[in-house]
Amino acid sequence: MGKKQKQRTIIFYKDYFEVFFVKQRDKVRDKIIWTFDLIEDLPMVPETYLKSIEDSTGLYEIRIQFGSDIFRIFCFFDHGQLVVLANGYQKKSQKTPKQEIDKALKIKEEYENEKR
């Protein structure tokens, strides 16, 4: 049986995500990769794994939970299909830290400016 068609493709922009990824424990990395596969493969991704950030103009967060640890990876779409990964962080409070959102928005802006 052939591999099924991906619904979307995740790409890494510069090393923003990688810096976060390499610091994680192996099991957390495995869970992140598992979640990425799911996002690439599912026609409709449940909000449990991918959620739009309110008032942020096109910013989304990939949501990863491993045991009691919660991680968020910011991303945005390019032409509706490509998920471009920005920064990630470990969530320690209910509210998403503003500096993390600001950082993600800066990365998104940088990406869009380079594409022009």
Side-chain angles (χ1 to χ4, degrees):
M1 232 171 88
K3 189 155 168 44
K4 63 181 183 308
Q5 181 69 40
K6 281 184 182 183
Q7 301 294 322
R8 50 197 77 73
T9 304
I10 291 178
I11 65 156
F12 306 108
Y13 176 57
K14 296 192 171 169
D15 65 350
Y16 293 112
F17 167 72
E18 207 177 325
V19 167
F20 159 80
F21 187 74
V22 296
K23 291 183 202 154
Q24 306 312 317
R25 307 188 309 276
D26 286 350
K27 286 194 181 317
V28 172
R29 286 191 211 167
D30 291 346
K31 183 71 184 266
I32 291 171
I33 291 163
W34 179 88
T35 308
F36 286 177
D37 287 342
L38 191 112
I39 289 168
E40 286 190 325
D41 294 342
L42 288 182
M44 289 288 294
V45 182
E47 277 200 350
T48 324
Y49 302 109
L50 182 67
K51 188 172 193 279
S52 163
I53 300 210
E54 288 169 29
D55 311 323
S56 71
T57 345
L59 202 59
Y60 288 77
E61 59 179 14
I62 294 174
R63 309 163 73 135
I64 289 139
Q65 185 153 1
F66 185 77
S68 58
D69 294 335
I70 296 170
F71 301 90
R72 296 290 186 256
I73 299 158
F74 291 109
C75 61
F76 46 94
F77 287 87
D78 187 0
H79 295 92
Q81 281 311 313
L82 200 63
V83 180
V84 179
L85 293 180
N87 50 320
Y89 71 100
Q90 184 167 355
K91 195 169 165 147
K92 304 228 191 271
S93 65
Q94 249 342 89
K95 209 163 156 35
T96 301
K98 188 176 178 339
Q99 76 267 18
E100 293 292 347
I101 292 177
D102 290 345
K103 184 175 170 186
L105 288 169
K106 275 199 184 81
I107 293 168
K108 182 174 183 278
E109 192 180 324
E110 188 184 338
Y111 175 84
E112 288 163 351
N113 288 338
E114 276 184 18
K115 284 197 68 180
R116 285 194 192 118

